[in-house]
Amino acid sequence: MAQTRWWQRGIFYQVYPRSFQDSNADGIGDLDGIRARLDHLVTLGVDAVWISPIFPSPMADFGYDVADYCGIDPMFGDLDAFDRLVAEVHGRGLKIVLDFVPNHTSDQHPWFAESRAARDNPKRDWYIWRDPAPDGGPPNNWMSNFGGPAWSLDAATGQYYYHAFLKEQPDLNWRNPAVRAAMHDVLRFWMARGVDGFRVDVIWHLMKDAEFRDNPPNPEYAPGDGDIRRFLQTRSTDQPDVHDIIAELRAVIDEYEDRVLIGEIYLPIDRLVAYYGENLEGAHLPFNFQLIHASWTAPQLAALIAEYDAAVPEGGWPNWVLGNHDQPRIASRIGAARTRVAAMLLLTLRGTPTLYYGDEIGMENVPIPTQEAQDPWEKNEPGLGLGRDPERTPMQWDASPHAGFTNGRPWLPLAADFATRNVAVQMQQPTSLLNLYRDLIALRRAHPVLHAGTYRKITALGDVLVFLRESAAECVLVALNLAGNAQEDIPLPPGTLGQVLLSTEPGRAERVEGHLSLRPYEGVIVALDARG
Ligand code: GLC
């Protein structure tokens, strides 16, 4: 096996900073809070923490509307608190990855204030301004991801500006070299402060069609869908020249030693893998969200794993994600009973896993009463189930008031089950989901074949998925039962002999010879005997 880098061997853990740990009783998490909880990450065994945006922001989109790229919002702390966090993260042998939001700024960013001031302002071209259509309406049919048109008229200067998200999030013009240079300096600012890499927000949005042609209608749009689904985003996103922009970002990343560039990309596999770059000069890890949208049947999982595994270019490194702050919780998507096999799948596939805070204890979507909705998407397109508050609720640490998250009033309601589903309780239970995650992570570390070996499907019938991870040194078999009925005598390749290393269910350490039975929703990892 070739020498691997930390972001290939390691496991990422995403922290949504508003919801992880509050240290000053304002009901919102902060940097000192994250620092106070680093023990949890060490106990869990992950290698790197990615923190969603912490920069000064009016919080129209909870930090994804950045008003100053080189500061810390007072809600989260200040640069001293950030430096303390970096020092402690590194002191524990962990890495820290920040969210970089280059596609758009806040409308309160000084650059946008200048840009909108006058048509001849030197910063006018830092954003995307267009004349109205002949009828006075928006320049084209592009829709905002959060509902309504993606163009807002600035009455004073008589032009529309483009915003792929909220009107408070104007898109930067990445065709302008001055914008690119300014944003490159932002990356350098944080890397010089010790940051180990970036997760780049909506990286596939950075370039738009130079002629601003209309998007084609989406034949699959159905009433009840969000506005963004009315049209296919073929002109407004994923343009061929975005890869030049990303290569420039990568070159900046490579100015510093051993940093990582991760891209947020919601595209089908064939388009997704282009973000590695034609000669691997793109993102190190274009986020792979296939498991988020998958149906959890063995044939479908096997098909998407095979398609993805084959599509990752030679020399490119795969990765897998079960959840994030924009998607319903995995426990709610596939049902609590399957969270254990899901954890085993995530931590035994070929490629870097990313965990979302709280998934390690099986946190579920928390229903949010309408009057407590916070997410602007929910407010713009209410009642369609598009809102993201349910997966952003406070971390459940213990059974004390507000789950140990805050001494104040939490910014989103806590899950009703926090007194029984929390880190403290699950640490005490040998068979808890949390301890399964810890065991899986420890096993992945102890058996390099699990991060670096090849993947080979053995069985994908009905609800049973069996695959091998192989290297010159070792071979591990993973068998997952996705269903609630037992599976008796699953045949394994002739001559299969081995030893169960770990099961999602208690009390299993037997020898395996030729076949295997699985209990309902059980997954097992088997170390195969070395062939003589
Ligand atoms: C990304 C973020 C999401 C945010 C959007 C706009 O998809 O993950 O939370 O709302 O970009 O920045």
Side-chain angles (χ1 to χ4, degrees), residues 374-397:
Q374 302 281 340
D375 183 15
W377 196 2
E378 178 64 33
K379 292 181 181 176
N380 284 352
E381 298 189 276
L384 302 179
L386 300 172
R388 299 165 295 175
D389 295 328
E391 63 264 22
R392 296 176 175 179
T393 60
M395 181 65 174
Q396 296 158 208
W397 294 105

Side-chain angles (χ1 to χ4, degrees), residues 16 61 64-65 99 101 104 146 165 169 199 201-202 204 264 266 324-326 388 392:
Y16 193 67
D61 188 20
Y64 284 96
D65 48 325
D99 223 302
V101 190
H104 42 267
F146 293 148
F165 295 87
Q169 293 168 294
R199 171 269 191 188
D201 192 62
V202 295
W204 84 109
E264 184 205 20
Y266 285 94
N324 62 39
H325 64 295
D326 296 323
R388 299 165 295 175
R392 296 176 175 179

Side-chain angles (χ1 to χ4, degrees), residues 26 53 228 269 359 405 511:
D26 64 357
I228 189 62
I269 291 174
D359 281 351
F405 163 70
R511 292 279 309 157

